[in-house]
Amino acid sequence: MTKPEQVLIIEPQGELRFRGPFTGSPVTSYIKLINPTSQKVYFKIKTTAPRRYCVRPNNGMLKAKEIIEIAVCLQPFEFDPTEKNKHKFMVQTVIAPEGDTDDFVNDVWKDIDDDLVMEYKLKCVFENPVSTNAPGKPSETNASKADSNTTNGKNKATGDAIKPSLTPLRESEDMLFRAATKIQELKIEESQLRQECLKLKEEILKSQSILDKGANESSGRFTSGPVERSNPPLSLSSTTMIAAVVMVIVGYFLGKLI
């Protein structure tokens, strides 16, 4: 009896890629599971090389319209491009039975009918960025062997084998976090520069004030307050002449009246 068609959307499709170098620290790739249905779906992740990988989470449950990302961690090892790789992963899923109310995943898989289990396979591909070819030629390593139902059973290094995989959601979140952190650092630097600029302006104003004060003192002038200016008093001779003119005019008018 054929297996039922997979209801989950699984990314990437067909191949799970790991990019080296593979020594020193683990290399992580991701499997995204999307439940487009209105039903609850249980899942379980299996591999042909359980000692070489760490999968978190390796089983669980997806509610309707829910999305989950599975981290697949490849343990460090000495990469040999001539070694044939047969590592594969299989995603098993099953729709929650009618009337299912608990979320105990292990109990679900104990009593499930194998004919209801949906399966999806991914083969592992190792990409080593360290070139081992002749100078001027790009390094292309595909340690994945095709399935037994392929035409010749040999590895393929065609354009399909080196097409870029989808960007993992976690990588996008990391990039956003780093960008937010950088923006915050730039804001702090901007605030510090503003404070330094204000201090510099204050120092310039103080220096200018000291220079102006020194210049005023050397010239004998004081600029601490407004300078009141008064008109110089008229001399005695000028006052006498004005009084005489006024008396002549008054006498003229008195003569006219008499």
Side-chain angles (χ1 to χ4, degrees):
M1 183 176 180
T2 58
K3 293 284 185 179
E5 185 178 356
Q6 179 63 250
V7 296
L8 296 185
I9 299 174
I10 301 175
E11 299 176 355
Q13 298 181 359
E15 295 179 346
L16 186 61
R17 293 180 172 271
F18 297 88
R19 184 171 179 81
F22 302 102
T23 57
S25 60
V27 178
T28 304
S29 187
Y30 298 91
I31 302 174
K32 184 187 294 184
L33 305 181
I34 305 171
N35 183 8
T37 71
S38 57
Q39 298 172 295
K40 181 167 62 175
V41 178
Y42 291 96
F43 69 89
K44 182 166 55 175
I45 312 295
K46 291 184 176 181
T47 179
T48 57
R51 295 184 179 180
R52 299 286 294 274
Y53 299 90
C54 180
V55 183
R56 292 291 182 274
N58 58 5
N59 63 74
M61 177 267 298
L62 277 172
K63 295 181 181 179
K65 312 301 180 182
E66 193 173 16
I67 300 173
I68 193 172
E69 196 172 53
I70 311 297
V72 182
C73 185
L74 173 63
Q75 302 301 320
F77 72 103
E78 292 294 335
F79 178 73
D80 184 2
T82 62
E83 180 184 358
K84 294 182 179 180
N85 169 38
K86 297 181 180 180
H87 298 176
K88 294 180 183 179
F89 277 84
M90 181 168 63
V91 181
Q92 290 184 323
T93 59
V94 63
I95 298 175
E98 186 176 355
D100 176 61
T101 56
D102 61 37
D103 296 332
F104 296 100
V105 179
N106 294 332
D107 296 339
V108 172
W109 293 102
K110 288 180 181 178
D111 304 325
I112 199 69
D113 186 355
D114 290 341
D115 294 335
L116 300 177
V117 178
M118 296 165 283
E119 297 179 349
Y120 188 85
K121 295 180 181 179
L122 299 97
K123 58 184 178 180
C124 299
V125 176
F126 297 155
E127 296 179 342
N128 188 18
V130 180
S131 176
T132 56
N133 299 334
K137 294 184 179 180
S139 175
E140 296 182 1
T141 303
N142 187 346
S144 172
K145 184 177 179 181
D147 295 331
S148 57
N149 58 353
T150 55
T151 55
N152 54 14
K154 295 182 180 180
N155 293 337
K156 296 181 180 180
T158 62
D160 292 337
I162 59 174
K163 62 183 179 180
S165 60
L166 297 176
T167 304
L169 178 61
R170 184 167 299 177
E171 182 179 350
S172 300
E173 292 177 351
D174 292 341
M175 292 176 64
L176 290 175
F177 177 76
R178 289 195 296 269
T181 303
K182 187 63 177 178
I183 291 173
Q184 186 64 26
E185 292 177 355
L186 291 174
K187 287 183 177 179
I188 294 173
E189 291 180 1
E190 180 186 9
S191 177
Q192 293 175 348
L193 289 174
R194 286 179 180 273
Q195 293 178 0
E196 292 179 0
C197 184
L198 290 174
K199 290 181 180 179
L200 184 59
K201 287 182 178 181
E202 291 178 358
E203 293 178 358
I204 292 174
L205 290 174
K206 289 180 181 179
S207 301
Q208 186 65 37
S209 177
I210 293 172
L211 291 175
D212 292 342
K213 185 176 180 181
N216 292 331
E217 290 178 353
S218 63
S219 61
R221 292 185 292 107
F222 297 91
T223 58
S224 57
V227 178
E228 296 182 359
R229 297 182 179 179
S230 59
N231 294 326
L234 294 174
S235 63
L236 181 60
S237 58
S238 299
T239 304
T240 305
M241 290 177 63
I242 292 173
V245 172
V246 172
M247 291 178 65
V248 171
I249 294 173
V250 171
Y252 175 77
F253 282 103
L254 288 176
K256 287 284 188 181
L257 291 176
I258 293 173

